[in-house]
Amino acid sequence: MSPASASVFVKCSCGHLHWGRYGAAGLLLVDPARGVLLQRRAWWVHHGRTWALPGGAIEAGETALTAAAREAFEEASVPAEAFRTVSASVVDHGEWSYTTVLALAEGAEARVANTESAEVRWVDPEDVPGYPLHRDFAAAWPDLAARVGRKLVLVVDGANVVGSRPDGWWRDRHGAAERLRDQLARLAEAGLADPDDASVTWWPRIVLVVEGKAKHVTGVAGVEVVAADTDGDSKIVEVVAKQADARILVATADRELKRRVEALGAAILGPGTLRTRLDAL
């Protein structure tokens, strides 16, 4: 927590004191080989000597993602370029909220970086409950543990989604697919609210499947484009079948395709719902 933070305690409706006028955020950093990164808090800070995540108060004008990244660097010397954000979840107490940013380590090293940290350690997720945890982290851990190692893949049926809106796409299918791709790139950056849990946002891997006159559309940052030579539905099923250890959403309204991908464990996001979210960006 930096001195420039809105460094006050807030008493929420549950009767607890929390640090940060604008709420707080922490980074749940996951490495498949090493586990999750925990920080033992120094004896003199609030809830000292307990284990939790690198994190602290959100400063005025900061986003929760920016705050979590800043705190991870200040407390555990983890630079933002050493991890990839996967999801974020919010515990909202009304007057105060805490955002946990879940990220995958990409070669990240960690060390004690300031006096607020007594120790940082990679811990097997199964061993986390055995540590003397910060009260709020202990309460949140069961839900967080269920998302450790999980990612979201959004597979978009390009022809179906483009054709869901009568905006002249039939005159320029290639151009319409490019416009959809560019909107999806903005979604990849902004994040996608979980269809089943409004407190969770995902930064998904996005795969746009194109066919016909749109098959020469190329990918951009945040969006992989896969061309189907003939049968677009079969290509989508093939893409879905290759996604291991991921939650999968398929954006389509095609009834038979929905049946096929649901049999593989995918969930469905309707084109209208997707379009509404894209239009809001």
Side-chain angles (χ1 to χ4, degrees), residues 25 63-70 83 85 88 99 101 189 203:
T63 66
L65 270 65
T66 301
R70 173 181 53 76
F83 61 85
T85 302
T99 302
V101 178
E189 183 176 354
W203 281 265

Side-chain angles (χ1 to χ4, degrees), residues 71-192:
E71 291 283 348
F73 181 72
E74 291 177 355
E75 297 181 350
S77 196
V78 176
E81 59 270 20
F83 61 85
R84 179 171 59 85
T85 302
V86 175
S87 65
S89 58
V90 180
V91 176
D92 191 350
H93 290 215
E95 302 85 351
W96 183 89
S97 64
Y98 189 95
T99 302
T100 302
V101 178
L102 193 151
L104 290 177
E106 297 183 336
E109 298 297 333
R111 61 176 177 81
V112 171
N114 67 13
T115 58
E116 295 176 23
S117 299
E119 182 182 356
V120 292
R121 182 185 300 179
W122 294 97
V123 178
D124 188 306
E126 293 185 359
D127 295 336
V128 170
Y131 281 67
L133 303 178
H134 182 289
R135 174 197 65 208
D136 295 334
F137 180 55
W141 176 248
D143 288 334
L144 294 173
R147 295 209 320 278
V148 167
R150 296 279 285 173
K151 59 185 177 181
L152 179 68
V153 179
L154 173 62
V155 182
V156 180
D157 181 351
N160 192 269
V161 173
V162 164
S164 67
R165 179 175 293 175
D167 58 0
W169 58 265
W170 51 89
R171 292 191 295 269
D172 182 11
R173 297 190 183 190
H174 184 278
E178 286 187 327
R179 291 192 295 274
L180 174 60
R181 176 204 62 192
D182 293 344
Q183 284 188 301
L184 290 169
R186 291 194 290 273
L187 181 68
E189 183 176 354
L192 176 66

Side-chain angles (χ1 to χ4, degrees), residues 197-248:
D197 186 347
S199 71
V200 177
T201 300
W202 295 87
W203 281 265
R205 175 186 169 218
I206 300 179
V207 182
L208 172 62
V209 179
V210 295
E211 58 183 295
K213 294 181 179 180
K215 69 179 182 179
H216 297 297
V217 171
T218 57
V220 295
V223 182
E224 176 185 352
V225 177
V226 174
D229 290 330
T230 53
D231 181 3
D233 287 4
S234 293
K235 178 60 71 172
I236 291 169
V237 172
E238 177 186 322
V239 169
V240 170
K242 291 180 179 178
Q243 309 308 315
D245 301 322
R247 182 179 178 190
I248 307 166

